[in-house]
Amino acid sequence: MKVEQDSGGPSELLAEAVRSGDPERIAAVATQHIWPLFNTAHAALLAAISPLPGATIGRYPVLQLVHPLAPVFARSTRPFTVHALNRYRRAGYEESLVLTMQMIGSRMSGDIGTALGYAHQLVARLRTEGPFDVPAADDPSWFFRHQIGTTHLMAGQTVAALREFGTARQIGEVIGSADAVRSAAGRAALTHAVRGAVDDAQRALDTATALPHPGPAYADAALGTERTAAALIDIARMRPERDRSVALLEALDTADVVWPFVMYARASHALADGRAGDALDAIAMSTVSHDVRAGTFASDAASALRITAHLALGEVNAARRALETATVHGTLTRVAEIRLALHEADPIRAHARQVALTAAELSPAQWAEVTLLAAWRESLAGEVSDELAHRTADLAASPGNRRAFTGVPATVIDAVLDRLPESARASFTARIDGLPLGAPPTPRPRLTPREYQVLRALIDHDNRADMAAALGVSTNTVKTQLRSLYRKLGATSKNEALTSAARLALLPSGR
């Protein structure tokens, strides 16, 4: 769509208001024509409203949304309130535009649940339009759909997000808006990448990047989305260029909506390369910088990544605490819980957690991870079944599953190889060749009831005499039992024994 040049067009009206030097007039004109100015005269809009006094901006909530300091407003001690946007309904604003602004405002404040409510209202509103009402070139309906999809994506509802991005892209193609098509295709690529549908992600990304450079209103969001999608694709395929792709991502405290996916990419990359400490640092940096609420992708991803990182460091107790502090267990967290059970050498609990997950809940990436964890579970119980060994080999045939194999101990891969026919072993080995497979978790020793009693006494007492008195046995008996306990824990002192017991999650709850 071209910028209006006639004297009565929004751009000229804004220019006249700016020449007047009257802040109220500038704000009123910018607010009255917010969509055409945002869409086609973005630089002029920002130049006009940026110098306005804070008091003026405060009286025009819609300008707070598009102001360059909008992220600061959202994080301030006086957060943006979407209720203030109701005034635009009374002023005759189109209902869909008001709902979209309220949805975006809720997201900016970290309230994805409220944003979803506005998204549902907006979908219902858009359904009232005639089925053959072809949108005009300057129609914002693609933008509405794009923002609905983004809200679903941030809530972790990837299937619903793809539906909306597909609709936005189709509208963009009808009205001839390269910005609409590129924005929608890029965000679809990110959604596919998060799901682990790597080939679909690559196709969508290729569609987006083949289009002209996005306009000023959409450039930052579109390019940030595309970089994040590209990084996730490279990580999933374990490409050599993944280091460079991750280096190109936004800072962890970015205010853009891609921040949870930047966190996911950085932490996943670190875990795949055996840098669990760096993964925890990436999670901490992101979650401290943003309002992370339960029931969102950010919350689910942060919990799952924390559990996985702590397990990679051998910190089983910390992994369990990360699980317990997650108030809502999303699918990513529930898959990580299976991994925790395996690290605790508890295949029965791992199987129960796996059965509780339905196939409909799992994305392609999650399905691949659950399959590999099932092979791990069967290897703990004895041997991997022929059927599961073949499913594991089939997963390796897709380059997009390569990262998933980095979280599996090499002993599990050996168990799978033992069950494959000779004809399948060579191709399976070649497909995972060079991957940094995980080390087997430290086996959790089986303590006798008496050894558990000694361990608890060790916490509360500093010498054998006190322990013997507490347990009602002789000091020689305590000495013998301590020797057995220390041997199982690989310890030579009380401190080493307690440290090892904590790492192996053997200490009583609350210790």
Side-chain angles (χ1 to χ4, degrees):
M1 182 175 93
K2 295 181 179 179
V3 177
E4 298 185 51
Q5 300 294 334
D6 60 280
S7 59
S11 295
E12 182 55 35
L13 290 173
L14 182 63
E16 291 175 0
V18 171
R19 287 193 291 269
S20 75
D22 181 356
E24 288 296 322
R25 182 179 175 187
I26 296 170
V29 170
T31 299
Q32 183 180 0
H33 302 285
I34 190 66
W35 170 249
L37 289 172
F38 176 85
N39 192 42
T40 64
H42 191 256
L45 172 63
L46 296 189
I49 67 174
S50 293
L52 294 180
T56 302
I57 293 292
R59 288 191 292 275
Y60 293 86
V62 68
L63 299 186
Q64 295 177 33
L65 285 176
V66 298
H67 196 282
L69 291 178
V72 177
F73 296 154
R75 297 181 188 179
S76 70
T77 55
R78 300 176 62 187
F80 181 81
T81 56
V82 296
H83 302 297
L85 291 164
N86 286 327
R87 71 178 65 175
Y88 295 112
R89 289 188 175 88
R90 297 190 293 273
Y93 264 62
E94 208 278 323
E95 178 75 10
S96 296
L97 182 58
V98 176
L99 287 170
T100 302
M101 292 189 295
Q102 291 179 311
M103 177 174 60
I104 295 173
S106 298
R107 282 204 323 250
M108 288 175 60
S109 299
D111 191 351
I112 307 302
T114 298
L116 274 177
Y118 285 119
H120 294 319
Q121 291 182 54
L122 182 55
V123 168
R125 169 71 183 175
L126 294 173
R127 284 175 179 165
T128 65
E129 298 176 355
F132 297 106
D133 290 343
V134 179
D138 59 352
D139 191 287
S141 57
W142 76 265
F143 184 75
F144 300 158
R145 293 290 184 177
H146 181 75
Q147 294 301 327
I148 293 169
T150 298
T151 301
H152 282 298
L153 176 58
M154 296 191 75
Q157 301 171 358
T158 55
V159 175
L162 287 171
R163 180 182 64 240
E164 297 299 333
F165 294 139
T167 302
R169 176 176 167 178
Q170 290 170 339
I171 294 173
E173 291 169 345
V174 169
I175 65 177
S177 170
D179 283 339
V181 176
R182 180 158 186 167
S183 296
R187 204 138 283 179
L190 175 60
T191 309
H192 282 304
V194 169
R195 286 177 52 77
V198 179
D199 291 343
D200 290 335
Q202 188 65 63
R203 282 190 289 271
L205 185 60
D206 291 343
T207 296
T209 55
L211 291 167
H213 192 278
Y218 311 105
D220 288 346
L223 297 178
T225 294
E226 292 164 13
R227 284 192 292 267
T228 308
L232 286 170
I233 292 170
D234 287 346
I235 294 166
R237 292 174 170 170
M238 292 296 286
R239 287 173 167 169
E241 55 265 39
R242 64 187 183 278
D243 290 347
R244 179 177 178 277
S245 297
V246 172
L248 293 175
L249 296 182
E250 304 290 341
L252 286 167
D253 63 347
T254 176
D256 192 82
V257 295
V258 300
W259 77 262
F261 312 103
V262 171
M263 173 192 71
Y264 188 61
R266 288 187 182 275
S268 297
H269 177 233
L271 285 169
D273 285 354
R275 296 180 288 107
D278 290 345
L280 288 172
D281 187 55
I283 300 162
M285 287 287 293
S286 292
T287 53
V288 166
S289 303
H290 300 89
D291 185 3
V292 181
R293 305 195 189 187
T296 62
F297 174 84
S299 174
D300 190 24
S303 295
L305 290 165
R306 280 195 194 98
I307 293 168
T308 304
H310 283 303
L311 291 175
L313 293 170
E315 300 168 351
V316 179
N317 267 355
R320 187 187 293 108
R321 286 195 296 273
L323 176 65
E324 292 170 350
T325 55
T327 54
V328 177
H329 291 183
T331 306
L332 290 171
T333 302
R334 292 162 67 195
V335 172
E337 186 177 6
I338 300 173
R339 187 178 295 275
L340 172 59
L342 294 172
H343 273 264
E344 293 180 323
D346 191 345
I348 296 175
R349 182 159 58 91
H351 183 254
R353 296 296 183 267
Q354 180 182 337
V355 170
L357 286 169
T358 63
E361 294 179 274
L362 300 175
S363 69
Q366 293 160 1
W367 187 88
E369 185 174 1
V370 167
T371 300
L372 292 171
L373 293 178
W376 185 348
R377 172 178 54 78
E378 288 194 0
S379 71
L380 288 177
E383 63 180 12
V384 178
S385 67
D386 290 343
E387 186 269 338
L388 191 52
H390 281 92
R391 280 168 53 195
T392 302
D394 289 342
L395 288 177
S398 172
N401 290 326
R402 284 174 62 80
R403 183 189 69 84
F405 279 87
T406 64
V408 178
T411 52
V412 178
I413 300 303
D414 291 340
V416 169
L417 281 169
D418 287 344
R419 303 299 296 179
L420 290 175
E422 189 66 35
S423 58
R425 290 180 187 175
S427 59
F428 177 60
T429 301
R431 287 163 178 164
I432 62 173
D433 182 51
L435 291 180
L437 299 176
T442 303
R444 193 169 185 242
R446 296 184 180 276
L447 304 184
T448 66
R450 174 57 73 175
E451 287 168 341
Y452 271 115
Q453 290 178 349
V454 172
L455 177 59
R456 283 191 282 269
L458 192 63
I459 296 170
D460 298 322
H461 303 287
D462 292 325
N463 58 68
R464 294 174 189 167
D466 290 342
M467 292 175 63
L471 295 171
V473 298
S474 70
T475 54
N476 283 334
T477 299
V478 168
K479 181 179 179 180
T480 301
Q481 292 169 342
L482 275 176
R483 186 184 302 116
S484 174
L485 178 65
Y486 282 9
R487 177 179 54 78
K488 289 186 177 181
L489 295 177
T492 58
S493 67
K494 172 181 176 177
N495 287 338
E496 287 183 5
L498 293 180
T499 299
S500 179
R503 180 172 56 82
L504 295 166
L506 292 170
L507 293 181
S509 178
R511 294 288 183 174

